[in-house]
């Protein structure tokens, strides 16, 4: 069965520093991986996805993610964090089948302090 | 309206009430999803509709009844809910066919409180 794990409940970084939010996955077949962000009392917003091709995927708001097949990881990164990046981040993997169903991780709260 | 909309945004109901949540997508997608998000819990997928056919029901209690009258609209009918059903209910849509790796687009959610 497909699954994702986000090992950190919370990540704290100082504004201007680089940030990393970790995600590991377990899939049978090719992995289709996604990152979403959720601000308080809002729905999830799509940030980026990996389907195939270049292992470094660039997304919205200056975020990027690195696909690492050998480590089965898909960590979210940003070179310079902003206070406004503080939110809840979800990693997801597409489930098998053709319904487009996603399996989400537990979520990681990112706190960026001034 | 653009994207995925949900109404109402907030709902307070008693355990004996009947209410419905509405979701509408303006993206031309062919799959729609209901999720439940409780405090300190991961997103729980409740129902999946693909081409207006329910293709997944994740052991959701019968007090939740989904309806998908067409590819743009999705409802969640609620009756005799329990306080533990209080949560944020999220609707999403995607273009799941012919390829199923397109991203899902989420609505803002309905914050449900059951008294």
């Amino acid at each position: 069965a497909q699954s994702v794990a986000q090992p950190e409940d919370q990540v704290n970084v100082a504004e201007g520093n680089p940030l990393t939010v970790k995600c590991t996955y377990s899939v049978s077949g090719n992995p289709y991986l996604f990152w979403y962000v959720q601000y308080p009392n809002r729905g999830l917003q799509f940030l980026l996805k990996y389907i195939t091709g270049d292992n470094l995927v660039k997304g919205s708001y200056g975020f990027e993610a690195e696909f690492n097949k050998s480590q089965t990881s898909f960590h979210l990164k940003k070179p310079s964090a902003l206070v406004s990046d503080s939110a809840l981040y979800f990693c997801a993997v597409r489930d098998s089948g053709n319904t487009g169903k996603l399996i989400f991780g537990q979520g990681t709260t990112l706190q960026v302090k001034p | 309206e653009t994207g995925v909309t949900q109404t109402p945004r907030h709902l307070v109901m008693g355990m004996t009430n009947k209410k419905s949540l509405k979701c509408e997508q303006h993206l031309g997608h062919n799959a729609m999803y209901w999720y439940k998000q409780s405090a300190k819990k991961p997103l729980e997928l409740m129902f999946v509709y693909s081409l207006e056919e329910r293709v997944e029901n994740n052991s959701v209690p019968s007090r939740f009844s989904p309806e998908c009258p067409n590819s743009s609209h999705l409802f969640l009918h609620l009756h005799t809910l329990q306080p533990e059903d209080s949560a944020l209910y999220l609707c999403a849509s995607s273009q799941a066919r012919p390829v199923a790796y397109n991203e899902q687009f989420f609505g803002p959610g309905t914050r449900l409180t059951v008294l």
Side-chain angles (χ1 to χ4, degrees), chain A residues 9 13 28 53 63 88 99 103 110-111:
Chain A
D9 287 338
V13 298
S28 55
F63 284 93
L88 182 59
T99 65
I103 307 299
L110 173 66
Q111 284 276 10

PDB file of all heavy atoms in Angstrom, chain A residues 9 13 28 53 63 88 99 103 110-111:
ATOM      1  N   ASP A   9       6.609  16.853  13.631  1.00  0.00           N
ATOM      2  CA  ASP A   9       5.333  17.537  13.832  1.00  0.00           C
ATOM      3  C   ASP A   9       5.479  19.035  13.606  1.00  0.00           C
ATOM      4  O   ASP A   9       4.560  19.693  13.135  1.00  0.00           O
ATOM      5  CB  ASP A   9       4.820  17.291  15.250  1.00  0.00           C
ATOM      6  CG  ASP A   9       4.304  15.887  15.430  1.00  0.00           C
ATOM      7  OD1 ASP A   9       3.957  15.246  14.419  1.00  0.00           O
ATOM      8  OD2 ASP A   9       4.244  15.420  16.584  1.00  0.00           O
ATOM      9  N   VAL A  13      12.195  27.741  12.213  1.00  0.00           N
ATOM     10  CA  VAL A  13      13.337  28.378  11.560  1.00  0.00           C
ATOM     11  C   VAL A  13      13.244  29.885  11.748  1.00  0.00           C
ATOM     12  O   VAL A  13      12.163  30.427  11.977  1.00  0.00           O
ATOM     13  CB  VAL A  13      13.417  28.052  10.048  1.00  0.00           C
ATOM     14  CG1 VAL A  13      13.595  26.577   9.824  1.00  0.00           C
ATOM     15  CG2 VAL A  13      12.210  28.577   9.330  1.00  0.00           C
ATOM     16  N   SER A  28       4.414   1.167  -4.395  1.00  0.00           N
ATOM     17  CA  SER A  28       4.680   0.119  -5.372  1.00  0.00           C
ATOM     18  C   SER A  28       4.500   0.774  -6.729  1.00  0.00           C
ATOM     19  O   SER A  28       3.479   1.377  -7.002  1.00  0.00           O
ATOM     20  CB  SER A  28       3.714  -1.046  -5.192  1.00  0.00           C
ATOM     21  OG  SER A  28       2.387  -0.595  -5.235  1.00  0.00           O
ATOM     22  N   GLY A  53      11.043  12.964 -14.468  1.00  0.00           N
ATOM     23  CA  GLY A  53      11.961  13.972 -14.966  1.00  0.00           C
ATOM     24  C   GLY A  53      12.928  14.462 -13.916  1.00  0.00           C
ATOM     25  O   GLY A  53      13.391  13.708 -13.063  1.00  0.00           O
ATOM     26  N   PHE A  63       9.099  27.821  -3.253  1.00  0.00           N
ATOM     27  CA  PHE A  63       9.378  26.495  -2.727  1.00  0.00           C
ATOM     28  C   PHE A  63       9.886  25.560  -3.824  1.00  0.00           C
ATOM     29  O   PHE A  63       9.545  25.713  -4.996  1.00  0.00           O
ATOM     30  CB  PHE A  63       8.131  25.890  -2.087  1.00  0.00           C
ATOM     31  CG  PHE A  63       7.808  26.455  -0.735  1.00  0.00           C
ATOM     32  CD1 PHE A  63       6.929  27.523  -0.602  1.00  0.00           C
ATOM     33  CD2 PHE A  63       8.387  25.933   0.405  1.00  0.00           C
ATOM     34  CE1 PHE A  63       6.640  28.058   0.638  1.00  0.00           C
ATOM     35  CE2 PHE A  63       8.104  26.452   1.662  1.00  0.00           C
ATOM     36  CZ  PHE A  63       7.229  27.524   1.772  1.00  0.00           C
ATOM     37  N   LEU A  88       0.746  24.977   7.887  1.00  0.00           N
ATOM     38  CA  LEU A  88       0.772  23.520   7.992  1.00  0.00           C
ATOM     39  C   LEU A  88       1.046  22.944   6.610  1.00  0.00           C
ATOM     40  O   LEU A  88       0.378  23.311   5.643  1.00  0.00           O
ATOM     41  CB  LEU A  88      -0.577  23.031   8.526  1.00  0.00           C
ATOM     42  CG  LEU A  88      -0.780  21.531   8.773  1.00  0.00           C
ATOM     43  CD1 LEU A  88       0.234  20.993   9.770  1.00  0.00           C
ATOM     44  CD2 LEU A  88      -2.201  21.294   9.294  1.00  0.00           C
ATOM     45  N   THR A  99      -8.508   6.865  -9.708  1.00  0.00           N
ATOM     46  CA  THR A  99      -9.429   7.859  -9.164  1.00  0.00           C
ATOM     47  C   THR A  99      -8.736   9.155  -8.785  1.00  0.00           C
ATOM     48  O   THR A  99      -9.390  10.104  -8.373  1.00  0.00           O
ATOM     49  CB  THR A  99     -10.143   7.323  -7.911  1.00  0.00           C
ATOM     50  OG1 THR A  99      -9.163   7.108  -6.890  1.00  0.00           O
ATOM     51  CG2 THR A  99     -10.871   6.029  -8.219  1.00  0.00           C
ATOM     52  N   ILE A 103      -2.861   9.961  -0.833  1.00  0.00           N
ATOM     53  CA  ILE A 103      -2.610   9.559   0.541  1.00  0.00           C
ATOM     54  C   ILE A 103      -1.756  10.660   1.170  1.00  0.00           C
ATOM     55  O   ILE A 103      -0.654  10.937   0.701  1.00  0.00           O
ATOM     56  CB  ILE A 103      -1.859   8.229   0.605  1.00  0.00           C
ATOM     57  CG1 ILE A 103      -2.578   7.156  -0.219  1.00  0.00           C
ATOM     58  CG2 ILE A 103      -1.687   7.785   2.053  1.00  0.00           C
ATOM     59  CD1 ILE A 103      -3.964   6.837   0.241  1.00  0.00           C
ATOM     60  N   LEU A 110       5.069  24.515  10.215  1.00  0.00           N
ATOM     61  CA  LEU A 110       6.277  25.328  10.040  1.00  0.00           C
ATOM     62  C   LEU A 110       6.070  26.656  10.751  1.00  0.00           C
ATOM     63  O   LEU A 110       5.099  27.354  10.496  1.00  0.00           O
ATOM     64  CB  LEU A 110       6.552  25.564   8.559  1.00  0.00           C
ATOM     65  CG  LEU A 110       7.697  26.532   8.240  1.00  0.00           C
ATOM     66  CD1 LEU A 110       9.036  25.956   8.692  1.00  0.00           C
ATOM     67  CD2 LEU A 110       7.721  26.873   6.752  1.00  0.00           C
ATOM     68  N   GLN A 111       6.993  26.985  11.656  1.00  0.00           N
ATOM     69  CA  GLN A 111       6.975  28.274  12.348  1.00  0.00           C
ATOM     70  C   GLN A 111       8.227  29.040  11.939  1.00  0.00           C
ATOM     71  O   GLN A 111       9.342  28.567  12.166  1.00  0.00           O
ATOM     72  CB  GLN A 111       6.979  28.084  13.861  1.00  0.00           C
ATOM     73  CG  GLN A 111       5.652  27.649  14.429  1.00  0.00           C
ATOM     74  CD  GLN A 111       4.712  28.830  14.675  1.00  0.00           C
ATOM     75  OE1 GLN A 111       4.985  29.939  14.254  1.00  0.00           O
ATOM     76  NE2 GLN A 111       3.600  28.560  15.329  1.00  0.00           N
TER      77      GLN A 111
END
